[in-house]
Amino acid sequence: MSDSAFHYVDGVLHAEGVSAASLAEQFGTPLYVYSRDALTQAYRAYADACAGRNATVHVAVKANSNLAVLNVFARMGAGFDIVSSGELARVIAAGGRAEHTVFSGVGKSAAEMREGLEAGVKCFNVESIPELHALNEVAKSLGKKAPVSLRVNPDVDAKTHPYISTGLKSNKFGVAFSDARATYAQAQAMDHLDVVGIDCHIGSQITEISPYLDALDKLLELVGQIEADGMRIRHIDVGGGLGITYDDETPPAIGDFVTTLLDHIGKRGHGAREVYFEPGRSLVGNAGVLLTRVEYLKPGEEKNFAIVDAAMNDLARPAMYEAFHRIVPVVKRDAAAQTYDVVGPVCESGDWLGRDRELALVPGDLLAICSAGAYGFVMSSNYNTRPRAAEIMVDGERARLVREREEVKQLFAGESILPD
Ligand SMILES: *Cc1c(COP(=O)(O)O)cnc(C)c1O
């Protein structure tokens, strides 16, 4: 949680200048709350370190695709990294530009390629030979040339959770390092493709720089080979993946991370190439919290449960990756703490938000689940026919509703019963 954006004033949690208790009162719970200032500061840390260095930031839309969040970045001149044509539509609706957007993803459909080409995206990050053929065909049908980069799998261990590690041989992502040179040669031979770059993405929640440097060395070695084969690699896309502090992790500062990578590329003699960063989590993760209200306290022989009104459908990360999120009271209470598992109302034992937490609680209390800005709302579902939460953006003293809470009738509006 960004300490400057989320802090206590007289024992009450505030998002910038607004009390979280008043937000819950006004907008109800569960409620996602984002801080414009925290988003801005995280983006600036990247942009300032890139300034004057032929490097650009492409915000990974999948981490948080709310239009207001994307718009905050678009206003600061961000580019975007998308993984579907739905995300492309969001970028455009939020004021972003297709020509500053990179189209990633392992399974782009022909329809998505067409939409990307018609909109004029900056580059397609391609992950397989069949995808190269498909893109070449779509570009031909439109009388265009598609700008492409190959996502190379450098086979480095990002030392993160297996579900969010993507740069190992055993992962589904990218072109195998040993096949990359030949795959580039195939791309070059296709009339409607224009080879412009190289990319990788080795994982997420990475808290060390060394895996990036290992991946970069492999990429740069390839660049030399590809250029010897007559192609020109104009940009190197180093992917996203920088970790954040959920608990006691100590990831490098964003500025140091950017500078170290750029210096490394410069030292290897590749300083003239444009470098793309594709951060997601490190821009939005600690810029958001999820507010929830305690419904019931349920003491047990082995465990005490605090049953809250947010659940795995609102925040899937604990159920999905056993991810840790700090959970703090909205109003600090002077009472003895007890150990609780904080759980939701969904009918699954996996529906927990935090385990073994020391909290002083009574029913009706508000809790903030920290670091919920990335892979939070975007992964939410309607499981158990639960309407998805509202989203709020705080900007100084003001709070704006940036996504309405869903209503139950919306959830089955597209369904119908058999006529007879
Ligand atoms: C998910 C993803 C990102 C962003 O990753 P973070 O860990 O959120 O920074 C960047 N690029 C690609 C290709 C991705 O799939």
mmCIF file of all heavy atoms in Angstrom, residues 196-239:
data_model
loop_
_atom_site.group_PDB
_atom_site.id
_atom_site.type_symbol
_atom_site.label_atom_id
_atom_site.label_comp_id
_atom_site.label_asym_id
_atom_site.label_seq_id
_atom_site.Cartn_x
_atom_site.Cartn_y
_atom_site.Cartn_z
ATOM 1 N N VAL A 196 10.360 -5.591 -36.558
ATOM 2 C CA VAL A 196 10.826 -4.322 -35.980
ATOM 3 C C VAL A 196 11.479 -4.470 -34.612
ATOM 4 O O VAL A 196 12.184 -3.568 -34.164
ATOM 5 C CB VAL A 196 9.669 -3.284 -35.873
ATOM 6 C CG1 VAL A 196 9.142 -2.900 -37.249
ATOM 7 C CG2 VAL A 196 8.531 -3.791 -34.979
ATOM 8 N N GLY A 197 11.222 -5.588 -33.919
ATOM 9 C CA GLY A 197 11.753 -5.643 -32.553
ATOM 10 C C GLY A 197 11.844 -7.035 -31.994
ATOM 11 O O GLY A 197 11.620 -8.046 -32.687
ATOM 12 N N ILE A 198 12.198 -7.071 -30.723
ATOM 13 C CA ILE A 198 12.299 -8.333 -29.986
ATOM 14 C C ILE A 198 11.736 -8.078 -28.588
ATOM 15 O O ILE A 198 11.874 -6.969 -28.060
ATOM 16 C CB ILE A 198 13.771 -8.823 -29.934
ATOM 17 C CG1 ILE A 198 13.861 -10.250 -29.389
ATOM 18 C CG2 ILE A 198 14.652 -7.896 -29.085
ATOM 19 C CD1 ILE A 198 15.229 -10.907 -29.655
ATOM 20 N N ASP A 199 11.076 -9.072 -28.024
ATOM 21 C CA ASP A 199 10.532 -8.872 -26.674
ATOM 22 C C ASP A 199 10.622 -10.138 -25.847
ATOM 23 O O ASP A 199 10.841 -11.239 -26.355
ATOM 24 C CB ASP A 199 9.076 -8.388 -26.728
ATOM 25 C CG ASP A 199 8.105 -9.400 -27.333
ATOM 26 O OD1 ASP A 199 8.111 -9.538 -28.567
ATOM 27 O OD2 ASP A 199 7.362 -10.051 -26.585
ATOM 28 N N CYS A 200 10.482 -9.943 -24.547
ATOM 29 C CA CYS A 200 10.371 -11.065 -23.621
ATOM 30 C C CYS A 200 9.553 -10.605 -22.425
ATOM 31 O O CYS A 200 9.281 -9.425 -22.246
ATOM 32 C CB CYS A 200 11.750 -11.575 -23.167
ATOM 33 S SG CYS A 200 12.621 -10.472 -22.048
ATOM 34 N N HIS A 201 9.104 -11.544 -21.658
ATOM 35 C CA HIS A 201 8.403 -11.243 -20.403
ATOM 36 C C HIS A 201 8.586 -12.478 -19.558
ATOM 37 O O HIS A 201 8.057 -13.537 -19.874
ATOM 38 C CB HIS A 201 6.917 -10.945 -20.672
ATOM 39 C CG HIS A 201 6.130 -10.734 -19.407
ATOM 40 N ND1 HIS A 201 6.275 -9.605 -18.634
ATOM 41 C CD2 HIS A 201 5.221 -11.504 -18.780
ATOM 42 C CE1 HIS A 201 5.474 -9.698 -17.584
ATOM 43 N NE2 HIS A 201 4.824 -10.842 -17.648
ATOM 44 N N ILE A 202 9.383 -12.361 -18.502
ATOM 45 C CA ILE A 202 9.825 -13.579 -17.820
ATOM 46 C C ILE A 202 8.983 -13.944 -16.615
ATOM 47 O O ILE A 202 9.165 -15.014 -16.036
ATOM 48 C CB ILE A 202 11.325 -13.484 -17.424
ATOM 49 C CG1 ILE A 202 11.592 -12.252 -16.558
ATOM 50 C CG2 ILE A 202 12.194 -13.475 -18.670
ATOM 51 C CD1 ILE A 202 13.037 -12.168 -16.031
ATOM 52 N N GLY A 203 8.060 -13.080 -16.234
ATOM 53 C CA GLY A 203 7.217 -13.421 -15.101
ATOM 54 C C GLY A 203 6.699 -12.175 -14.422
ATOM 55 O O GLY A 203 6.806 -11.073 -14.966
ATOM 56 N N SER A 204 6.136 -12.367 -13.249
ATOM 57 C CA SER A 204 5.521 -11.256 -12.541
ATOM 58 C C SER A 204 5.919 -11.329 -11.067
ATOM 59 O O SER A 204 6.344 -12.384 -10.592
ATOM 60 C CB SER A 204 4.009 -11.355 -12.701
ATOM 61 O OG SER A 204 3.387 -10.135 -12.392
ATOM 62 N N GLN A 205 5.782 -10.203 -10.373
ATOM 63 C CA GLN A 205 6.163 -10.120 -8.957
ATOM 64 C C GLN A 205 7.623 -10.585 -8.772
ATOM 65 O O GLN A 205 7.955 -11.363 -7.880
ATOM 66 C CB GLN A 205 5.172 -10.917 -8.081
ATOM 67 C CG GLN A 205 5.372 -10.820 -6.566
ATOM 68 C CD GLN A 205 5.403 -9.395 -6.035
ATOM 69 O OE1 GLN A 205 4.992 -8.448 -6.689
ATOM 70 N NE2 GLN A 205 5.924 -9.204 -4.848
ATOM 71 N N ILE A 206 8.491 -10.083 -9.654
ATOM 72 C CA ILE A 206 9.918 -10.389 -9.591
ATOM 73 C C ILE A 206 10.575 -9.328 -8.706
ATOM 74 O O ILE A 206 10.384 -8.132 -8.927
ATOM 75 C CB ILE A 206 10.542 -10.372 -11.005
ATOM 76 C CG1 ILE A 206 9.822 -11.387 -11.895
ATOM 77 C CG2 ILE A 206 12.038 -10.659 -10.949
ATOM 78 C CD1 ILE A 206 10.154 -11.250 -13.368
ATOM 79 N N THR A 207 11.315 -9.776 -7.698
ATOM 80 C CA THR A 207 11.836 -8.812 -6.723
ATOM 81 C C THR A 207 13.356 -8.654 -6.803
ATOM 82 O O THR A 207 13.963 -8.041 -5.949
ATOM 83 C CB THR A 207 11.429 -9.229 -5.293
ATOM 84 O OG1 THR A 207 11.825 -10.588 -5.092
ATOM 85 C CG2 THR A 207 9.932 -9.123 -5.104
ATOM 86 N N GLU A 208 13.949 -9.230 -7.849
ATOM 87 C CA GLU A 208 15.390 -9.071 -8.052
ATOM 88 C C GLU A 208 15.641 -8.628 -9.486
ATOM 89 O O GLU A 208 14.862 -8.967 -10.382
ATOM 90 C CB GLU A 208 16.109 -10.418 -7.858
ATOM 91 C CG GLU A 208 16.072 -10.933 -6.446
ATOM 92 C CD GLU A 208 16.579 -12.368 -6.401
ATOM 93 O OE1 GLU A 208 17.689 -12.612 -6.895
ATOM 94 O OE2 GLU A 208 15.845 -13.221 -5.892
ATOM 95 N N ILE A 209 16.749 -7.926 -9.695
ATOM 96 C CA ILE A 209 17.054 -7.462 -11.054
ATOM 97 C C ILE A 209 17.788 -8.540 -11.857
ATOM 98 O O ILE A 209 17.682 -8.598 -13.082
ATOM 99 C CB ILE A 209 17.887 -6.146 -11.019
ATOM 100 C CG1 ILE A 209 17.055 -5.029 -10.357
ATOM 101 C CG2 ILE A 209 18.301 -5.713 -12.424
ATOM 102 C CD1 ILE A 209 17.657 -3.634 -10.452
ATOM 103 N N SER A 210 18.512 -9.441 -11.161
ATOM 104 C CA SER A 210 19.400 -10.358 -11.887
ATOM 105 C C SER A 210 18.689 -11.212 -12.955
ATOM 106 O O SER A 210 19.259 -11.396 -14.040
ATOM 107 C CB SER A 210 20.191 -11.233 -10.910
ATOM 108 O OG SER A 210 19.315 -11.997 -10.119
ATOM 109 N N PRO A 211 17.466 -11.714 -12.725
ATOM 110 C CA PRO A 211 16.844 -12.484 -13.813
ATOM 111 C C PRO A 211 16.638 -11.650 -15.079
ATOM 112 O O PRO A 211 16.737 -12.165 -16.200
ATOM 113 C CB PRO A 211 15.495 -12.916 -13.229
ATOM 114 C CG PRO A 211 15.640 -12.807 -11.748
ATOM 115 C CD PRO A 211 16.623 -11.701 -11.509
ATOM 116 N N TYR A 212 16.363 -10.349 -14.904
ATOM 117 C CA TYR A 212 16.205 -9.473 -16.071
ATOM 118 C C TYR A 212 17.516 -9.335 -16.836
ATOM 119 O O TYR A 212 17.531 -9.316 -18.063
ATOM 120 C CB TYR A 212 15.773 -8.065 -15.635
ATOM 121 C CG TYR A 212 14.333 -7.961 -15.254
ATOM 122 C CD1 TYR A 212 13.950 -8.004 -13.931
ATOM 123 C CD2 TYR A 212 13.348 -7.807 -16.229
ATOM 124 C CE1 TYR A 212 12.626 -7.903 -13.570
ATOM 125 C CE2 TYR A 212 12.017 -7.708 -15.879
ATOM 126 C CZ TYR A 212 11.653 -7.752 -14.546
ATOM 127 O OH TYR A 212 10.341 -7.652 -14.210
ATOM 128 N N LEU A 213 18.622 -9.210 -16.080
ATOM 129 C CA LEU A 213 19.914 -9.038 -16.757
ATOM 130 C C LEU A 213 20.287 -10.321 -17.503
ATOM 131 O O LEU A 213 20.801 -10.265 -18.625
ATOM 132 C CB LEU A 213 20.996 -8.643 -15.742
ATOM 133 C CG LEU A 213 20.721 -7.333 -14.985
ATOM 134 C CD1 LEU A 213 21.859 -7.011 -14.019
ATOM 135 C CD2 LEU A 213 20.505 -6.161 -15.951
ATOM 136 N N ASP A 214 19.967 -11.463 -16.895
ATOM 137 C CA ASP A 214 20.228 -12.743 -17.576
ATOM 138 C C ASP A 214 19.411 -12.821 -18.869
ATOM 139 O O ASP A 214 19.917 -13.235 -19.917
ATOM 140 C CB ASP A 214 19.841 -13.920 -16.673
ATOM 141 C CG ASP A 214 20.723 -14.021 -15.430
ATOM 142 O OD1 ASP A 214 21.782 -13.356 -15.409
ATOM 143 O OD2 ASP A 214 20.345 -14.738 -14.480
ATOM 144 N N ALA A 215 18.141 -12.427 -18.773
ATOM 145 C CA ALA A 215 17.274 -12.482 -19.955
ATOM 146 C C ALA A 215 17.781 -11.514 -21.025
ATOM 147 O O ALA A 215 17.825 -11.848 -22.218
ATOM 148 C CB ALA A 215 15.839 -12.137 -19.566
ATOM 149 N N LEU A 216 18.188 -10.321 -20.594
ATOM 150 C CA LEU A 216 18.677 -9.313 -21.541
ATOM 151 C C LEU A 216 19.902 -9.808 -22.293
ATOM 152 O O LEU A 216 20.003 -9.634 -23.513
ATOM 153 C CB LEU A 216 19.059 -8.045 -20.781
ATOM 154 C CG LEU A 216 18.034 -6.928 -20.799
ATOM 155 C CD1 LEU A 216 18.542 -5.764 -19.951
ATOM 156 C CD2 LEU A 216 17.743 -6.461 -22.228
ATOM 157 N N ASP A 217 20.835 -10.438 -21.569
ATOM 158 C CA ASP A 217 22.053 -10.929 -22.222
ATOM 159 C C ASP A 217 21.710 -11.915 -23.330
ATOM 160 O O ASP A 217 22.301 -11.885 -24.408
ATOM 161 C CB ASP A 217 22.988 -11.574 -21.193
ATOM 162 C CG ASP A 217 23.713 -10.520 -20.358
ATOM 163 O OD1 ASP A 217 23.813 -9.362 -20.831
ATOM 164 O OD2 ASP A 217 24.150 -10.841 -19.235
ATOM 165 N N LYS A 218 20.730 -12.770 -23.050
ATOM 166 C CA LYS A 218 20.352 -13.743 -24.071
ATOM 167 C C LYS A 218 19.691 -13.054 -25.270
ATOM 168 O O LYS A 218 19.955 -13.377 -26.427
ATOM 169 C CB LYS A 218 19.451 -14.823 -23.468
ATOM 170 C CG LYS A 218 20.168 -15.602 -22.365
ATOM 171 C CD LYS A 218 19.418 -16.836 -21.943
ATOM 172 C CE LYS A 218 19.775 -18.038 -22.809
ATOM 173 N NZ LYS A 218 19.217 -19.294 -22.235
ATOM 174 N N LEU A 219 18.846 -12.067 -24.960
ATOM 175 C CA LEU A 219 18.171 -11.329 -26.029
ATOM 176 C C LEU A 219 19.172 -10.579 -26.911
ATOM 177 O O LEU A 219 19.083 -10.595 -28.144
ATOM 178 C CB LEU A 219 17.206 -10.314 -25.396
ATOM 179 C CG LEU A 219 15.723 -10.457 -25.704
ATOM 180 C CD1 LEU A 219 15.245 -11.857 -25.399
ATOM 181 C CD2 LEU A 219 14.899 -9.446 -24.917
ATOM 182 N N LEU A 220 20.158 -9.946 -26.264
ATOM 183 C CA LEU A 220 21.120 -9.136 -27.021
ATOM 184 C C LEU A 220 21.991 -10.022 -27.919
ATOM 185 O O LEU A 220 22.343 -9.640 -29.042
ATOM 186 C CB LEU A 220 21.981 -8.302 -26.071
ATOM 187 C CG LEU A 220 21.196 -7.249 -25.263
ATOM 188 C CD1 LEU A 220 22.121 -6.479 -24.322
ATOM 189 C CD2 LEU A 220 20.447 -6.273 -26.164
ATOM 190 N N GLU A 221 22.321 -11.207 -27.414
ATOM 191 C CA GLU A 221 23.083 -12.172 -28.219
ATOM 192 C C GLU A 221 22.279 -12.506 -29.495
ATOM 193 O O GLU A 221 22.826 -12.522 -30.607
ATOM 194 C CB GLU A 221 23.296 -13.426 -27.361
ATOM 195 C CG GLU A 221 24.005 -14.573 -28.019
ATOM 196 C CD GLU A 221 23.882 -15.859 -27.165
ATOM 197 O OE1 GLU A 221 23.847 -15.767 -25.917
ATOM 198 O OE2 GLU A 221 23.791 -16.945 -27.776
ATOM 199 N N LEU A 222 20.983 -12.701 -29.320
ATOM 200 C CA LEU A 222 20.118 -13.006 -30.465
ATOM 201 C C LEU A 222 20.040 -11.848 -31.442
ATOM 202 O O LEU A 222 20.048 -12.046 -32.662
ATOM 203 C CB LEU A 222 18.701 -13.279 -29.969
ATOM 204 C CG LEU A 222 18.210 -14.694 -29.896
ATOM 205 C CD1 LEU A 222 16.773 -14.701 -29.398
ATOM 206 C CD2 LEU A 222 18.280 -15.372 -31.261
ATOM 207 N N VAL A 223 19.958 -10.621 -30.890
ATOM 208 C CA VAL A 223 19.837 -9.439 -31.746
ATOM 209 C C VAL A 223 21.000 -9.406 -32.739
ATOM 210 O O VAL A 223 20.810 -9.156 -33.931
ATOM 211 C CB VAL A 223 19.776 -8.146 -30.898
ATOM 212 C CG1 VAL A 223 19.961 -6.912 -31.768
ATOM 213 C CG2 VAL A 223 18.453 -8.072 -30.141
ATOM 214 N N GLY A 224 22.208 -9.706 -32.233
ATOM 215 C CA GLY A 224 23.379 -9.733 -33.110
ATOM 216 C C GLY A 224 23.195 -10.735 -34.242
ATOM 217 O O GLY A 224 23.463 -10.433 -35.413
ATOM 218 N N GLN A 225 22.681 -11.911 -33.893
ATOM 219 C CA GLN A 225 22.497 -12.960 -34.916
ATOM 220 C C GLN A 225 21.424 -12.560 -35.932
ATOM 221 O O GLN A 225 21.588 -12.750 -37.138
ATOM 222 C CB GLN A 225 22.087 -14.271 -34.248
ATOM 223 C CG GLN A 225 23.155 -14.829 -33.314
ATOM 224 C CD GLN A 225 22.652 -16.022 -32.505
ATOM 225 O OE1 GLN A 225 21.492 -16.421 -32.609
ATOM 226 N NE2 GLN A 225 23.519 -16.590 -31.691
ATOM 227 N N ILE A 226 20.345 -11.997 -35.427
ATOM 228 C CA ILE A 226 19.227 -11.635 -36.311
ATOM 229 C C ILE A 226 19.662 -10.538 -37.285
ATOM 230 O O ILE A 226 19.327 -10.564 -38.469
ATOM 231 C CB ILE A 226 18.014 -11.159 -35.474
ATOM 232 C CG1 ILE A 226 17.502 -12.271 -34.557
ATOM 233 C CG2 ILE A 226 16.881 -10.675 -36.370
ATOM 234 C CD1 ILE A 226 16.665 -11.754 -33.393
ATOM 235 N N GLU A 227 20.434 -9.590 -36.774
ATOM 236 C CA GLU A 227 20.877 -8.504 -37.657
ATOM 237 C C GLU A 227 21.898 -9.017 -38.674
ATOM 238 O O GLU A 227 21.920 -8.552 -39.818
ATOM 239 C CB GLU A 227 21.394 -7.323 -36.829
ATOM 240 C CG GLU A 227 20.238 -6.699 -36.032
ATOM 241 C CD GLU A 227 20.415 -5.249 -35.682
ATOM 242 O OE1 GLU A 227 21.567 -4.815 -35.488
ATOM 243 O OE2 GLU A 227 19.390 -4.541 -35.607
ATOM 244 N N ALA A 228 22.700 -10.010 -38.267
ATOM 245 C CA ALA A 228 23.631 -10.624 -39.225
ATOM 246 C C ALA A 228 22.849 -11.296 -40.362
ATOM 247 O O ALA A 228 23.328 -11.427 -41.481
ATOM 248 C CB ALA A 228 24.516 -11.645 -38.509
ATOM 249 N N ASP A 229 21.601 -11.695 -40.057
ATOM 250 C CA ASP A 229 20.745 -12.319 -41.074
ATOM 251 C C ASP A 229 19.992 -11.285 -41.918
ATOM 252 O O ASP A 229 19.119 -11.646 -42.710
ATOM 253 C CB ASP A 229 19.730 -13.264 -40.408
ATOM 254 C CG ASP A 229 20.407 -14.465 -39.747
ATOM 255 O OD1 ASP A 229 21.572 -14.746 -40.082
ATOM 256 O OD2 ASP A 229 19.767 -15.105 -38.885
ATOM 257 N N GLY A 230 20.259 -10.003 -41.682
ATOM 258 C CA GLY A 230 19.705 -8.977 -42.559
ATOM 259 C C GLY A 230 18.449 -8.279 -42.061
ATOM 260 O O GLY A 230 17.808 -7.537 -42.810
ATOM 261 N N MET A 231 18.066 -8.505 -40.809
ATOM 262 C CA MET A 231 16.917 -7.771 -40.267
ATOM 263 C C MET A 231 17.421 -6.647 -39.380
ATOM 264 O O MET A 231 18.559 -6.661 -38.936
ATOM 265 C CB MET A 231 16.026 -8.711 -39.435
ATOM 266 C CG MET A 231 15.139 -9.587 -40.286
ATOM 267 S SD MET A 231 14.616 -11.063 -39.380
ATOM 268 C CE MET A 231 15.963 -12.186 -39.757
ATOM 269 N N ARG A 232 16.544 -5.669 -39.140
ATOM 270 C CA ARG A 232 16.946 -4.561 -38.281
ATOM 271 C C ARG A 232 16.037 -4.573 -37.046
ATOM 272 O O ARG A 232 14.806 -4.482 -37.180
ATOM 273 C CB ARG A 232 16.789 -3.262 -39.089
ATOM 274 C CG ARG A 232 16.935 -1.993 -38.314
ATOM 275 C CD ARG A 232 18.330 -1.375 -38.440
ATOM 276 N NE ARG A 232 18.349 -0.145 -37.626
ATOM 277 C CZ ARG A 232 18.626 -0.144 -36.319
ATOM 278 N NH1 ARG A 232 18.908 -1.253 -35.689
ATOM 279 N NH2 ARG A 232 18.614 1.006 -35.649
ATOM 280 N N ILE A 233 16.635 -4.736 -35.881
ATOM 281 C CA ILE A 233 15.861 -4.743 -34.628
ATOM 282 C C ILE A 233 15.891 -3.342 -34.045
ATOM 283 O O ILE A 233 16.912 -2.897 -33.516
ATOM 284 C CB ILE A 233 16.464 -5.771 -33.625
ATOM 285 C CG1 ILE A 233 16.425 -7.180 -34.207
ATOM 286 C CG2 ILE A 233 15.735 -5.715 -32.286
ATOM 287 C CD1 ILE A 233 15.026 -7.728 -34.476
ATOM 288 N N ARG A 234 14.767 -2.645 -34.188
ATOM 289 C CA ARG A 234 14.734 -1.248 -33.740
ATOM 290 C C ARG A 234 14.448 -1.101 -32.250
ATOM 291 O O ARG A 234 14.872 -0.157 -31.625
ATOM 292 C CB ARG A 234 13.699 -0.457 -34.546
ATOM 293 C CG ARG A 234 14.229 -0.074 -35.921
ATOM 294 C CD ARG A 234 13.180 0.634 -36.727
ATOM 295 N NE ARG A 234 12.422 -0.324 -37.508
ATOM 296 C CZ ARG A 234 11.291 -0.051 -38.153
ATOM 297 N NH1 ARG A 234 10.781 1.158 -38.102
ATOM 298 N NH2 ARG A 234 10.674 -0.981 -38.837
ATOM 299 N N HIS A 235 13.687 -2.045 -31.706
ATOM 300 C CA HIS A 235 13.409 -1.906 -30.269
ATOM 301 C C HIS A 235 13.552 -3.227 -29.513
ATOM 302 O O HIS A 235 13.388 -4.312 -30.073
ATOM 303 C CB HIS A 235 12.018 -1.295 -30.024
ATOM 304 C CG HIS A 235 10.884 -2.239 -30.242
ATOM 305 N ND1 HIS A 235 10.066 -2.193 -31.340
ATOM 306 C CD2 HIS A 235 10.406 -3.258 -29.475
ATOM 307 C CE1 HIS A 235 9.153 -3.145 -31.249
ATOM 308 N NE2 HIS A 235 9.331 -3.800 -30.140
ATOM 309 N N ILE A 236 13.871 -3.070 -28.241
ATOM 310 C CA ILE A 236 13.972 -4.207 -27.328
ATOM 311 C C ILE A 236 12.931 -3.980 -26.234
ATOM 312 O O ILE A 236 12.966 -2.970 -25.538
ATOM 313 C CB ILE A 236 15.377 -4.277 -26.691
ATOM 314 C CG1 ILE A 236 16.440 -4.443 -27.778
ATOM 315 C CG2 ILE A 236 15.453 -5.404 -25.667
ATOM 316 C CD1 ILE A 236 17.865 -4.283 -27.265
ATOM 317 N N ASP A 237 12.004 -4.932 -26.135
ATOM 318 C CA ASP A 237 10.926 -4.813 -25.150
ATOM 319 C C ASP A 237 11.254 -5.779 -24.016
ATOM 320 O O ASP A 237 11.271 -6.994 -24.215
ATOM 321 C CB ASP A 237 9.610 -5.190 -25.854
ATOM 322 C CG ASP A 237 8.398 -5.071 -24.970
ATOM 323 O OD1 ASP A 237 8.547 -5.108 -23.741
ATOM 324 O OD2 ASP A 237 7.285 -4.968 -25.533
ATOM 325 N N VAL A 238 11.530 -5.216 -22.834
ATOM 326 C CA VAL A 238 12.000 -6.057 -21.723
ATOM 327 C C VAL A 238 10.854 -6.621 -20.887
ATOM 328 O O VAL A 238 11.084 -7.312 -19.891
ATOM 329 C CB VAL A 238 12.990 -5.293 -20.807
ATOM 330 C CG1 VAL A 238 14.209 -4.863 -21.594
ATOM 331 C CG2 VAL A 238 12.335 -4.081 -20.149
ATOM 332 N N GLY A 239 9.612 -6.315 -21.277
ATOM 333 C CA GLY A 239 8.469 -6.879 -20.565
ATOM 334 C C GLY A 239 8.179 -6.136 -19.277
ATOM 335 O O GLY A 239 8.747 -5.072 -19.001
#
